[in-house]
Amino acid sequence: MEAPWSREEFEQKLRTKGQGYHIYHPFHVAMYEGKLSKEQLQAWVLNRFYYQISIPLKDAAILSNCPDVEARKQWIVRITDHDGTMENSYGGIEAWVELGSAVGLSREDVVSLKHVSPGVKFAVDAYVNFCKQRSWQESMCSSLTELFAPHIHQQRISSWPEMYPWIDESGLKYFKKRLTEARRDVEQGLNVTLDYFSQSREMQEKALDILQFKLNILWVIADSIMLQSSEITMDGREYLKQPVY
């Protein structure tokens, strides 16, 4: 049996998984390059709202399976980050509704979910169910796509005003908000993963598989949105094949 990787080697292997992050999906590449139409960006916002409202559900599922008080104290803030609180109802979900307004959608358009692709619903529901059924450590490990999120948020903040000047910049609050939150969240999820899965090489490889599962979820979401945006053209590139790393 092979010896476990060192903590540093294990962390590097987790970070290397970022090569398959959905920032490299042709739909997101086109978004960054300013090649999406208004309707295509709207489709992305409408579909991704289903993911946003499901984040507190998956985090609540993680907490329900977690007997570790200290871990729960740290993780619970993720729910209020998105839902807001009784004192301040403004959270990530409301910020996403504002993003919808910034791209020309009404609140009803966004919150009704009537424009959400079945593929997006299937992928997001699969992720929530994973977090309901697996151990809290495995579910926290699946959150580690946050390792790669700050770059994509910064990319949108930096490129959208130039590439899509018709978007009201006040609607970019969600991405600015997540820049700080994602970096904080990564610390806890990474520490839990490095501590729990470093017991053996087999466990470490399991963690890599779990992270790949979450990367697959995000890739399928992008695939589904792209298929829904049937008028899109991207230099004839294939977009249904996810790269294998």
Side-chain angles (χ1 to χ4, degrees), residues 7-115:
R7 190 179 182 90
E8 292 73 21
E9 289 174 317
F10 183 27
E11 179 176 344
Q12 185 54 47
K13 289 185 180 295
L14 289 166
R15 292 184 180 277
T16 299
K17 282 288 185 180
Q19 295 173 12
Y21 192 48
H22 64 171
I23 194 173
Y24 301 111
H25 190 285
F27 189 85
H28 287 281
V29 172
M31 183 187 295
Y32 172 68
E33 293 176 348
K35 295 180 179 179
L36 298 188
S37 68
K38 181 177 182 178
E39 292 73 22
Q40 289 160 344
L41 262 179
Q42 288 177 334
W44 178 74
V45 171
L46 289 166
N47 277 281
R48 285 282 298 194
F49 184 69
Y50 190 71
Y51 181 78
Q52 302 307 320
I53 62 173
S54 299
I55 290 173
L57 301 182
K58 67 92 178 172
D59 286 324
I62 292 172
L63 290 175
S64 73
N65 291 328
C66 179
D68 187 310
V69 174
E70 294 306 314
R72 293 201 307 266
K73 286 179 182 177
Q74 293 181 56
W75 202 265
I76 197 169
V77 70
R78 293 168 180 249
I79 295 178
T80 53
D81 280 346
H82 279 78
D83 283 348
T85 64
M86 293 296 291
E87 295 74 26
N88 179 13
S89 61
Y90 190 86
I93 292 175
E94 187 60 31
W96 198 269
V97 173
E98 287 188 358
L99 174 62
S101 177
V103 300
L105 299 167
S106 69
R107 174 178 288 270
E108 175 60 23
D109 288 332
V110 178
V111 304
S112 70
L113 305 180
K114 62 185 178 183
H115 302 292

Side-chain angles (χ1 to χ4, degrees), residues 48-211:
R48 285 282 298 194
F49 184 69
Y50 190 71
Y51 181 78
Q52 302 307 320
I53 62 173
S54 299
I55 290 173
L57 301 182
K58 67 92 178 172
D59 286 324
I62 292 172
L63 290 175
S64 73
N65 291 328
C66 179
D68 187 310
V69 174
E70 294 306 314
R72 293 201 307 266
K73 286 179 182 177
Q74 293 181 56
W75 202 265
I76 197 169
V77 70
R78 293 168 180 249
I79 295 178
T80 53
D81 280 346
H82 279 78
D83 283 348
T85 64
M86 293 296 291
E87 295 74 26
N88 179 13
S89 61
Y90 190 86
I93 292 175
E94 187 60 31
W96 198 269
V97 173
E98 287 188 358
L99 174 62
S101 177
V103 300
L105 299 167
S106 69
R107 174 178 288 270
E108 175 60 23
D109 288 332
V110 178
V111 304
S112 70
L113 305 180
K114 62 185 178 183
H115 302 292
V116 179
S117 159
V120 169
K121 288 184 177 179
F122 187 86
V124 173
D125 290 349
Y127 179 42
V128 174
N129 286 330
F130 177 93
C131 294
K132 288 179 179 179
Q133 297 166 8
R134 298 298 188 97
S135 71
W136 62 277
Q137 295 97 334
E138 290 175 306
S139 299
M140 287 186 181
C141 174
S142 72
S143 76
L144 284 182
T145 48
E146 292 165 339
L147 283 167
F148 324 119
H151 179 58
I152 202 170
H153 295 319
Q154 185 60 60
Q155 195 180 70
R156 290 165 187 158
I157 294 167
S158 301
S159 68
W160 279 23
E162 178 183 355
M163 299 296 184
Y164 306 104
W166 52 270
I167 297 178
D168 185 341
E169 286 191 49
S170 66
L172 303 183
K173 289 178 185 176
Y174 176 85
F175 307 126
K176 296 174 182 178
K177 185 174 183 290
R178 286 303 298 162
L179 271 180
T180 302
E181 293 171 352
R183 292 189 177 103
R184 177 208 64 205
D185 292 346
V186 161
E187 184 176 352
Q188 184 189 12
L190 186 58
N191 285 335
V192 167
T193 299
L194 294 176
D195 289 343
Y196 178 74
F197 289 92
S198 290
Q199 303 169 44
S200 67
R201 176 71 70 87
E202 182 181 15
M203 289 286 284
Q204 291 172 328
E205 290 175 343
K206 182 177 183 179
L208 293 173
D209 288 342
I210 290 170
L211 182 51

